[in-house]
Amino acid sequence: MTAHDQRVVDPGLESAKSAPARRQVIDLDATQLARRLILFMPTGETLAALVAQAHEHAAGIATLDTVARVVSHNPDALWAIARRHRFCATRPTAEGFIALLMLNDGGLRQLLAGTLDAVDPDMSLLAAQNEKPAAIYIWFVHARGPIAGGIALMLQKISTPLLRDVDMYARAMTADGRRFLQALTFSPVRQPPAANTPDLYIFRRSPTPAPDTPLYDTYRKKAGTGAPAITVARTLEDLMRVVAIRGAVYMSEQRCPYEEEFDGNDQCAVHLLGYVGDEPAGCVRIRCFASFAKIERLAVRKEHRGTGLAVLLARASMDFCRAKGYGLLYGHAAKHMIDFWKRFGFEVVDEGREFSFSDFVYVAMTLDAAPAPQTVTHASDPHVILRPEGCWHRPGILERSATRLTSSPSIAETPA
Ligand SMILES: CC(C)(COP(=O)(O)OP(=O)(O)OC[C@H]1O[C@@H](n2cnc3c(N)ncnc32)[C@H](O)[C@@H]1OP(=O)(O)O)[C@@H](O)C(=O)NCCC(=O)NCCS
């Protein structure tokens, strides 16, 4: 239903088409705006009048019945905007409004996959007012000229402790809509080509990893960005995710027998687990030898291909090996994957001698990798060495243990 076009664009933004003034709308002083504009939750006739206004300007949008259902499910879903000097509390009328869909996990998944029915949304995909949504989708904005300042006030309304770190999404239906979202610092969501969401934009409010976070530690649960991210598999459940992915990709797609896929090396290897949103989508395995590390079993689930996760996993595995101090990286590339690995600098070695296993023909490839500046060595701080694999860049549980109360009487009793 979102239809951002010139109607919602602040006149200042419209005139700045070639070089949109970033943040122009959200940077408007909310205190000043609040002197001129008022935001309120409309009901009854006021709501009906607003929806009728929206229907005059845009086709194919939700009916009053649907809007009323969404609003009664979660009253935070619709904010009416009025000019303060025209506003009468006993007979409230509005000149514009902003409608939001407070999506739960299922709703966000459908939004990212392009299957969300935004004209008549399924209520089971929406969070109630007291529930934390997984995403806030800007459903519709009808706010012309000076009324567009109401957007800044709405951002304040959705900055309560429950909502302030929930990412916002919107679709740009026109070139003006795109400019408008870019001016608000929304950025395009990178989606698989299969997803029908080419115009989806995100305004990230969830805690995102610091810019210098290594690629192998970028996944944060419920970050809600939908962008591919990676973590080191650390728990039994993470390992189950890896097994599920490899079961789907290698056993099911490539018909690899179980005994060959799960070859006895999984317990002694490091696994990187790739996510698309909160869905485990890909993995890669690393095995460390004295003088080299081997990168293997790269897999991305069919439904998540084309998201850039394969490249991210490959890069993350190389960075991980470099952080462990490996200068020589090694792999067996199926012949059809040689070009994929070449893009990272891998070269075919052993004069391209071919060998086969599990129904594929392979060649050996290596990469001379420069050591990472943050390589962990025996001279590193002991606390850094104690940190969990792949978390060498942030304090771990053991260094924090120095600040907790002693929990073991035997230690407390040890003489100095
Ligand atoms: C191989 C695999 C991981 C790639 O995943 P993917 O999601 O299709 O990869 P992406 O779409 O992110 O592709 C990343 C890039 O690699 C390129 N690429 C993908 N497969 C390639 C191949 N076989 N040869 C050369 N380039 C390839 C893509 O064109 C894309 O390039 P771009 O970034 O310039 O657009 C996935 O297809 C898979 O799991 N296959 C089955 C398991 C397998 O064969 N693993 C390889 C073990 S060595």
Short mmCIF file of all heavy atoms in Angstrom, two decimals, residues 203-229:
data_model
loop_
_atom_site.label_atom_id
_atom_site.label_comp_id
_atom_site.label_asym_id
_atom_site.label_seq_id
_atom_site.Cartn_x
_atom_site.Cartn_y
_atom_site.Cartn_z
N PHE A 203 15.49 1.47 7.00
CA PHE A 203 16.07 2.49 7.87
C PHE A 203 16.47 1.74 9.13
O PHE A 203 15.62 1.30 9.90
CB PHE A 203 15.03 3.58 8.19
CG PHE A 203 15.56 4.69 9.05
CD1 PHE A 203 16.34 5.70 8.51
CD2 PHE A 203 15.27 4.75 10.41
CE1 PHE A 203 16.83 6.73 9.30
CE2 PHE A 203 15.75 5.77 11.21
CZ PHE A 203 16.53 6.76 10.65
N ARG A 204 17.78 1.53 9.27
CA ARG A 204 18.26 0.62 10.30
C ARG A 204 18.28 1.32 11.66
O ARG A 204 18.87 2.38 11.81
CB ARG A 204 19.65 0.14 9.93
CG ARG A 204 20.04 -1.09 10.63
CD ARG A 204 21.23 -1.71 9.98
NE ARG A 204 20.89 -2.25 8.67
CZ ARG A 204 21.77 -2.82 7.86
NH1 ARG A 204 23.01 -2.88 8.22
NH2 ARG A 204 21.39 -3.30 6.71
N ARG A 205 17.63 0.72 12.65
CA ARG A 205 17.67 1.29 14.01
C ARG A 205 18.17 0.25 15.00
O ARG A 205 18.44 0.56 16.14
CB ARG A 205 16.27 1.75 14.42
CG ARG A 205 15.66 2.72 13.40
CD ARG A 205 14.47 3.48 13.93
NE ARG A 205 13.45 2.63 14.47
CZ ARG A 205 12.46 3.07 15.25
NH1 ARG A 205 12.40 4.35 15.58
NH2 ARG A 205 11.55 2.26 15.69
N SER A 206 18.28 -1.02 14.53
CA SER A 206 18.74 -2.07 15.43
C SER A 206 20.24 -1.95 15.63
O SER A 206 20.92 -1.39 14.79
CB SER A 206 18.42 -3.44 14.82
OG SER A 206 18.95 -3.51 13.52
N PRO A 207 20.74 -2.48 16.76
CA PRO A 207 22.17 -2.38 16.98
C PRO A 207 22.90 -3.15 15.88
O PRO A 207 22.62 -4.32 15.66
CB PRO A 207 22.38 -3.07 18.34
CG PRO A 207 21.09 -3.70 18.70
CD PRO A 207 20.02 -3.20 17.79
N THR A 208 23.73 -2.48 15.16
CA THR A 208 24.46 -3.16 14.10
C THR A 208 25.91 -3.30 14.55
O THR A 208 26.40 -2.47 15.32
CB THR A 208 24.40 -2.38 12.79
OG1 THR A 208 24.64 -1.02 13.09
CG2 THR A 208 23.08 -2.53 12.10
N PRO A 209 26.60 -4.31 14.07
CA PRO A 209 27.99 -4.47 14.48
C PRO A 209 28.80 -3.23 14.10
O PRO A 209 28.51 -2.58 13.10
CB PRO A 209 28.46 -5.69 13.68
CG PRO A 209 27.24 -6.37 13.22
CD PRO A 209 26.16 -5.36 13.14
N ALA A 210 29.83 -2.92 14.88
CA ALA A 210 30.69 -1.78 14.56
C ALA A 210 31.32 -2.01 13.19
O ALA A 210 31.49 -3.15 12.77
CB ALA A 210 31.78 -1.69 15.62
N PRO A 211 31.65 -0.90 12.50
CA PRO A 211 32.15 -1.05 11.13
C PRO A 211 33.40 -1.92 11.02
O PRO A 211 33.63 -2.53 10.00
CB PRO A 211 32.46 0.39 10.70
CG PRO A 211 31.86 1.27 11.72
CD PRO A 211 31.54 0.47 12.94
N ASP A 212 34.21 -1.99 12.10
CA ASP A 212 35.43 -2.79 11.98
C ASP A 212 35.24 -4.23 12.48
O ASP A 212 36.20 -4.97 12.68
CB ASP A 212 36.58 -2.11 12.74
CG ASP A 212 36.21 -1.86 14.20
OD1 ASP A 212 35.03 -2.06 14.55
OD2 ASP A 212 37.10 -1.49 14.98
N THR A 213 33.98 -4.64 12.67
CA THR A 213 33.72 -6.03 13.09
C THR A 213 34.13 -6.99 11.98
O THR A 213 33.76 -6.79 10.83
CB THR A 213 32.21 -6.22 13.38
OG1 THR A 213 31.84 -5.28 14.37
CG2 THR A 213 31.91 -7.62 13.87
N PRO A 214 34.90 -8.04 12.31
CA PRO A 214 35.29 -8.96 11.25
C PRO A 214 34.08 -9.66 10.63
O PRO A 214 33.07 -9.87 11.31
CB PRO A 214 36.21 -9.97 11.96
CG PRO A 214 36.16 -9.66 13.39
CD PRO A 214 35.45 -8.38 13.61
N LEU A 215 34.24 -10.01 9.37
CA LEU A 215 33.11 -10.61 8.63
C LEU A 215 32.56 -11.85 9.31
O LEU A 215 31.39 -12.16 9.19
CB LEU A 215 33.58 -11.02 7.23
CG LEU A 215 33.80 -9.89 6.22
CD1 LEU A 215 34.28 -10.48 4.90
CD2 LEU A 215 32.53 -9.10 6.02
N TYR A 216 33.44 -12.60 10.04
CA TYR A 216 33.00 -13.85 10.63
C TYR A 216 32.26 -13.65 11.95
O TYR A 216 31.92 -14.60 12.63
CB TYR A 216 34.18 -14.82 10.81
CG TYR A 216 35.41 -14.18 11.42
CD1 TYR A 216 35.52 -13.96 12.78
CD2 TYR A 216 36.47 -13.77 10.61
CE1 TYR A 216 36.63 -13.36 13.33
CE2 TYR A 216 37.60 -13.18 11.15
CZ TYR A 216 37.67 -12.96 12.51
OH TYR A 216 38.77 -12.36 13.05
N ASP A 217 31.99 -12.38 12.32
CA ASP A 217 31.24 -12.14 13.56
C ASP A 217 30.20 -11.04 13.35
O ASP A 217 29.99 -10.19 14.20
CB ASP A 217 32.21 -11.75 14.69
CG ASP A 217 31.50 -11.63 16.03
OD1 ASP A 217 30.65 -12.48 16.32
OD2 ASP A 217 31.77 -10.66 16.77
N THR A 218 29.53 -11.07 12.22
CA THR A 218 28.59 -9.99 11.91
C THR A 218 27.14 -10.33 12.25
O THR A 218 26.29 -9.45 12.26
CB THR A 218 28.66 -9.62 10.42
OG1 THR A 218 28.67 -10.84 9.67
CG2 THR A 218 29.89 -8.81 10.10
N TYR A 219 26.85 -11.60 12.55
CA TYR A 219 25.45 -11.95 12.81
C TYR A 219 25.03 -11.56 14.23
O TYR A 219 25.72 -11.88 15.19
CB TYR A 219 25.22 -13.45 12.60
CG TYR A 219 23.82 -13.86 13.03
CD1 TYR A 219 22.70 -13.41 12.34
CD2 TYR A 219 23.63 -14.69 14.13
CE1 TYR A 219 21.42 -13.75 12.74
CE2 TYR A 219 22.34 -15.05 14.54
CZ TYR A 219 21.26 -14.58 13.84
OH TYR A 219 19.99 -14.92 14.24
N ARG A 220 23.93 -10.84 14.34
CA ARG A 220 23.33 -10.55 15.65
C ARG A 220 21.86 -10.96 15.57
O ARG A 220 21.15 -10.48 14.69
CB ARG A 220 23.38 -9.04 15.98
CG ARG A 220 24.79 -8.46 16.00
CD ARG A 220 25.55 -8.84 17.29
NE ARG A 220 26.89 -8.30 17.28
CZ ARG A 220 27.95 -8.91 16.77
NH1 ARG A 220 27.83 -10.10 16.23
NH2 ARG A 220 29.14 -8.34 16.78
N LYS A 221 21.44 -11.82 16.47
CA LYS A 221 20.05 -12.30 16.42
C LYS A 221 19.08 -11.14 16.50
O LYS A 221 19.31 -10.18 17.24
CB LYS A 221 19.81 -13.25 17.60
CG LYS A 221 18.53 -14.04 17.50
CD LYS A 221 18.52 -15.11 18.58
CE LYS A 221 17.16 -15.71 18.83
NZ LYS A 221 16.52 -16.31 17.68
N LYS A 222 18.05 -11.21 15.69
CA LYS A 222 16.98 -10.20 15.68
C LYS A 222 17.49 -8.83 15.28
O LYS A 222 16.89 -7.81 15.61
CB LYS A 222 16.30 -10.08 17.05
CG LYS A 222 15.64 -11.36 17.51
CD LYS A 222 14.15 -11.25 17.37
CE LYS A 222 13.45 -12.50 17.84
NZ LYS A 222 12.65 -13.14 16.86
N ALA A 223 18.64 -8.78 14.59
CA ALA A 223 19.07 -7.46 14.12
C ALA A 223 18.08 -6.96 13.09
O ALA A 223 17.95 -5.76 12.86
CB ALA A 223 20.48 -7.53 13.53
N GLY A 224 17.35 -7.91 12.46
CA GLY A 224 16.23 -7.51 11.62
C GLY A 224 16.60 -6.85 10.30
O GLY A 224 15.76 -6.25 9.66
N THR A 225 17.86 -6.91 9.88
CA THR A 225 18.22 -6.20 8.65
C THR A 225 17.91 -7.00 7.40
O THR A 225 17.76 -6.44 6.35
CB THR A 225 19.73 -5.90 8.63
OG1 THR A 225 20.42 -7.15 8.55
CG2 THR A 225 20.16 -5.15 9.86
N GLY A 226 17.85 -8.32 7.56
CA GLY A 226 17.62 -9.14 6.37
C GLY A 226 18.87 -9.30 5.53
O GLY A 226 18.89 -10.05 4.56
N ALA A 227 19.94 -8.61 5.89
CA ALA A 227 21.17 -8.71 5.11
C ALA A 227 21.94 -9.96 5.55
O ALA A 227 21.86 -10.35 6.71
CB ALA A 227 22.02 -7.48 5.33
N PRO A 228 22.69 -10.59 4.64
CA PRO A 228 23.46 -11.76 5.03
C PRO A 228 24.48 -11.42 6.10
O PRO A 228 25.07 -10.34 6.07
CB PRO A 228 24.17 -12.18 3.74
CG PRO A 228 23.50 -11.48 2.64
CD PRO A 228 22.87 -10.25 3.22
N ALA A 229 24.65 -12.31 7.07
CA ALA A 229 25.62 -12.08 8.15
C ALA A 229 26.13 -13.43 8.63
O ALA A 229 25.52 -14.47 8.36
CB ALA A 229 24.95 -11.31 9.28
#
